[in-house]
């Protein structure tokens, strides 16, 4: 009997592994370069991630794809967050990762005492990039909901996400940040916010960025306090960190499974495989 159970479990592992190996290719990645004529032809690169089947249904006019915008951290490339892009794509989102910085741009300088320590110009440039990229993507995939965006970002990209949401709250569906440090969250409860926080001795959020627990609960802000480092929250981070973030993010995107502030250091228990693997290398 025990041998029979062991064989059955072994077969289950093989079948599950084969399922994920085959299904991860169901997500298509494409890098596109747009040029903004209003800014002397400035290149705006985007990496688009979408499920083949959902894209086909959208092309046929059967569905409207929800849209997620991914914003990278300072000095990090827009293609270094495929572990996040694939979670959204697996959920049926059209996921657009945008390259905000160019080698020709000046360095980001911290100016203590100024609004957002002098980083407002970077946020404003990010908003311009997002608006431009969205308009260009409408031409390529018109059957997507560009009026209600899910904004996602790591570090400086998280601040861009929150700043965009402050400026255009009626265009926001949800906000997800990974250790943004400068722009305070909105507490009016107009949309849900999920924020992963690092346990990093160097990268500390400015006072007021993350409200206290009582305010978060009333405003629909879910804070996940991890044991990970600030720079663990991208493709180059450890698998443990990425898997933990993926698991919590997947639950957050399920409107029937609200989260609460938690402490997390370990891999999440995934009891039900999704329609595609949650992590797959991007194709640049």
């Amino acid at each position: 009997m025990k041998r029979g159970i062991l064989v059955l479990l072994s077969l289950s592992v093989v079948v599950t592994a084969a399922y994920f190996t085959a299904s991860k290719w169901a997500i298509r990645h494409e890098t596109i370069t747009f040029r903004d004529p209003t800014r002397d032809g400035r290149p705006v690169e985007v990496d688009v991630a979408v499920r083949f089947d959902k894209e086909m249904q959208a092309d046929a006019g059967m569905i409207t794809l929800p849209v997620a915008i991914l914003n990278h951290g300072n000095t990090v490339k827009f293609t270094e967050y495929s572990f996040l892009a694939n979670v959204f794509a697996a959920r049926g989102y059209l996921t657009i990762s945008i390259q905000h910085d160019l080698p020709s741009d000046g360095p980001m300088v911290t100016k203590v005492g100024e609004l957002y320590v002098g980083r407002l110009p970077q946020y404003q440039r990010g908003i311009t990039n997002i608006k431009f990229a969205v308009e260009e993507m409408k031409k390529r995939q018109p059957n997507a909901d560009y009026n209600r965006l899910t904004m996602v970002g790591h570090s400086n990209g998280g601040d861009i996400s929150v700043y965009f949401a402050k400026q255009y709250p009626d265009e926001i569906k949800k906000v997800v940040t990974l250790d943004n440090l400068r722009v305070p969250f909105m507490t009016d409860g107009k949309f849900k916010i999920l924020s992963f926080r690092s346990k990093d001795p160097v990268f500390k959020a400015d006072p007021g960025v993350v409200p206290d627990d009582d305010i978060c609960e009333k405003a629909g802000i879910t804070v996940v306090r991890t044991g990970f480092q600030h720079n663990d929250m991208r493709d180059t981070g450890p698998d443990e960190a990425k898997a933990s973030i993926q698991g919590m993010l997947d639950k957050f995107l399920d409107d029937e499974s609200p989260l609460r502030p938690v402490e997390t250091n370990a891999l999440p228990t995934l009891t039900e495989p999704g329609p595609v693997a949650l992590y797959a290398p991007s194709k640049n």
Side-chain angles (χ1 to χ4, degrees):
M1 182 65 179
K2 289 183 178 179
R3 183 176 182 276
I5 294 174
L6 181 61
V7 171
L8 180 60
L9 289 174
S10 298
L11 287 174
S12 298
V13 170
V14 171
V15 170
T16 302
Y19 172 83
F20 282 125
T21 300
S23 64
K24 72 179 182 180
W25 303 115
I27 296 177
R28 179 179 72 84
H29 283 261
E30 178 185 9
T31 299
I32 308 168
T33 301
F34 301 122
R35 292 193 176 273
D36 187 351
T38 67
R39 292 183 289 171
D40 298 322
R42 178 186 175 93
V44 179
E45 285 188 285
V46 301
D47 181 80
V48 178
V50 63
R51 272 174 52 175
F52 278 111
D53 59 334
K54 296 300 182 183
E55 185 177 35
M56 291 176 63
Q57 292 174 25
D59 289 342
M62 299 170 61
I63 63 171
T64 300
L65 298 170
V67 178
I69 304 293
L70 268 64
N71 303 293
H72 62 84
N74 184 38
T75 73
V76 184
K77 286 185 66 63
F78 68 118
T79 53
E80 292 187 48
Y81 297 91
S82 64
F83 84 102
L84 293 175
N86 288 331
V87 174
F88 285 97
R91 281 276 182 169
Y93 281 71
L94 175 67
T95 310
I96 307 167
S97 303
I98 303 173
Q99 179 64 43
H100 290 296
D101 306 326
L102 300 178
S104 57
D105 294 334
M108 187 167 63
V109 179
T110 299
K111 298 178 181 178
V112 178
E114 291 193 13
L115 184 63
Y116 308 128
V117 294
R119 295 182 181 179
L120 183 57
Q122 279 76 24
Y123 305 156
Q124 293 171 331
R125 182 174 65 205
I127 284 183
T128 302
N129 289 337
I130 293 168
K131 287 288 190 178
F132 173 68
V134 164
E135 289 303 313
E136 292 301 307
M137 284 301 303
K138 286 180 181 178
K139 303 172 187 176
R140 289 177 172 259
Q141 180 48 271
N143 294 323
D145 185 5
Y146 299 100
N147 296 319
R148 296 281 286 173
L149 303 171
T150 294
M151 299 298 300
V152 190
H154 172 228
S155 191
N156 190 63
D159 287 319
I160 291 174
S161 299
V162 178
Y163 189 77
F164 185 100
K166 282 178 177 286
Q167 300 301 308
Y168 303 99
D170 294 336
E171 298 179 19
I172 295 298
K173 182 179 180 181
K174 294 177 181 173
V175 174
V176 179
T177 75
L178 295 89
D179 227 28
N180 65 300
L181 305 176
R182 309 295 181 187
V183 183
F185 294 128
M186 297 71 70
T187 58
D188 53 17
K190 287 187 176 181
F191 41 78
K192 291 183 179 180
I193 298 174
L194 171 65
S195 183
F196 295 92
R197 312 310 304 178
S198 73
K199 188 176 182 180
D200 195 307
V202 176
F203 294 90
K204 298 290 186 181
D206 289 345
V209 169
V210 182
D212 62 38
D213 291 345
D214 289 340
I215 294 176
C216 284
E217 184 173 357
K218 292 177 182 177
I221 301 172
T222 300
V223 176
V224 181
R225 303 189 187 280
T226 78
F228 307 127
Q229 299 294 296
H230 180 83
N231 288 322
D232 288 343
M233 299 178 176
R234 61 194 204 213
D235 283 353
T236 55
D239 290 341
E240 178 187 5
K242 290 181 290 189
S244 180
I245 291 169
Q246 285 176 318
M248 297 302 292
L249 175 57
D250 192 54
K251 290 179 182 179
F252 176 72
L253 295 177
D254 185 352
D255 290 332
E256 300 304 317
S257 299
L259 295 175
R260 296 290 183 270
V262 298
E263 295 282 345
T264 176
N265 290 296
L267 287 163
T269 301
L270 300 179
T271 57
E272 296 182 5
V276 296
L278 292 180
Y279 177 73
S282 61
K283 298 179 181 179
N284 298 333

